[in-house]
Amino acid sequence: KNEVEQSPQNLTAQEGEFITINCSYSVGISALHWLQQHPGGGIVSLFMLSSGKKKHGRLIATINIQEKHSSLHITASHPRDSAVYICAVLFFGNQFYFGTGTSLTVIP
Amino acid sequence: DTAVSQTPKYLVTQMGNDKSIKCEQNLGHDTMYWYKQDSKKFLKIMFSYNNKELIINETVPNRFSPKSPDKAHLNLHINSLELGDSAVYFCASSQGFSPLHFGNGTRLTVT
């Protein structure tokens, strides 16, 4: 059983739609990362959260420590947002676990 | 001036061979990782090195061995390659609560 659950696994949206990707984890963590992997394969870190909310451009990430849940939102989605989004959780003990990823396709 | 660089980008080899993948980071990070990404894009940690000390060693076959000559380098050696080793391998580094920085990946194909 994966300690990090991510949903949905696949998501198709029309350009301009508001998108939400969810991540839930089972035990206490020290930090949570949202990663983006484009079809070319490279992985970049979008956000690192330990509490509250962060915003970067059209991307917003939130985390609720009590509920052990994080969301990644994309406003005014664009085809260039098409990628795999991965939740990575840093458990106490410096061990990272990853969600299974959400494959997002934004259609023009 | 790439932050985390790994080589080679592609590696095609036959079963039974021994191969190495190199990783270097110029960020001054204390912790480096090797991850394996399977065909379903699921990332799984293989090894983690902190200040040249192995701190995580998941249940990977002992055919895989990490080698860290200094804190800027973490190389991955694989002996007696098997078909199931075919995957994309990512090196990454981090420092405390800083974002993870990934290399561009090495696509290993075992024939």
Side-chain angles (χ1 to χ4, degrees):
Chain A
K1 179 181 179 300
N2 197 21
E3 286 83 352
V4 183
E5 298 287 337
Q6 198 174 326
S7 63
Q9 286 196 12
N10 296 285
L11 182 57
T12 301
Q14 292 287 333
E15 183 174 356
E17 284 186 9
F18 180 83
I19 289 163
T20 296
I21 301 170
N22 296 299
C23 177
S24 298
Y25 48 92
S26 55
V27 296
I29 65 169
S30 54
L32 182 146
H33 296 246
W34 280 102
L35 311 173
Q36 180 191 55
Q37 184 174 26
H38 275 285
I43 301 174
V44 296
S45 179
L46 298 174
F47 295 103
M48 193 278 293
L49 295 159
S50 55
S51 65
K53 174 180 174 179
K54 286 191 177 180
K55 185 175 189 293
H56 185 257
R58 295 178 296 104
L59 275 61
I60 303 166
T62 64
I63 188 167
N64 185 316
I65 298 295
Q66 287 74 27
E67 294 185 3
K68 298 184 175 59
H69 180 269
S70 175
S71 293
L72 176 67
H73 305 285
I74 305 175
T75 61
S77 59
H78 189 276
R80 65 174 174 265
D81 298 325
S82 298
V84 175
Y85 293 85
I86 302 168
C87 170
V89 171
L90 180 61
F91 291 114
F92 293 109
N94 292 322
Q95 195 165 2
F96 272 102
Y97 282 89
F98 295 86
T100 50
T102 295
S103 179
L104 171 66
T105 303
V106 181
I107 300 170
Chain B
D1 58 346
T2 304
V4 181
S5 60
Q6 56 181 108
T7 56
K9 187 174 173 66
Y10 299 98
L11 184 53
V12 181
T13 188
Q14 292 184 323
M15 284 175 57
N17 284 348
D18 303 337
K19 290 293 178 185
S20 295
I21 306 172
K22 294 185 177 181
C23 179
E24 176 182 2
Q25 54 97 4
N26 62 5
L27 297 165
H29 287 169
D30 283 336
T31 308
M32 296 183 71
Y33 309 86
W34 275 107
Y35 297 99
K36 179 180 180 180
Q37 188 175 47
D38 61 24
S39 57
K40 295 183 179 179
K41 299 289 189 182
F42 183 59
L43 278 164
K44 183 176 180 181
I45 189 166
M46 300 179 71
F47 300 105
S48 170
Y49 256 74
N50 180 281
N51 283 328
K52 295 177 64 176
E53 297 295 325
L54 180 68
I55 60 171
I56 300 173
N57 187 349
E58 291 291 313
T59 53
V60 299
N62 58 15
R63 298 181 294 103
F64 291 81
S65 57
K67 297 278 195 303
S68 180
D70 55 62
K71 83 169 195 177
H73 296 83
L74 183 64
N75 303 323
L76 182 65
H77 297 269
I78 316 170
N79 295 325
S80 302
L81 278 155
E82 299 178 358
L83 291 176
D85 297 333
S86 296
V88 181
Y89 293 83
F90 284 96
C91 175
S93 72
S94 70
Q95 177 79 18
F97 294 119
S98 72
L100 279 168
H101 291 260
F102 284 83
N104 287 328
T106 296
R107 182 174 295 277
L108 171 65
T109 304
V110 183
T111 62

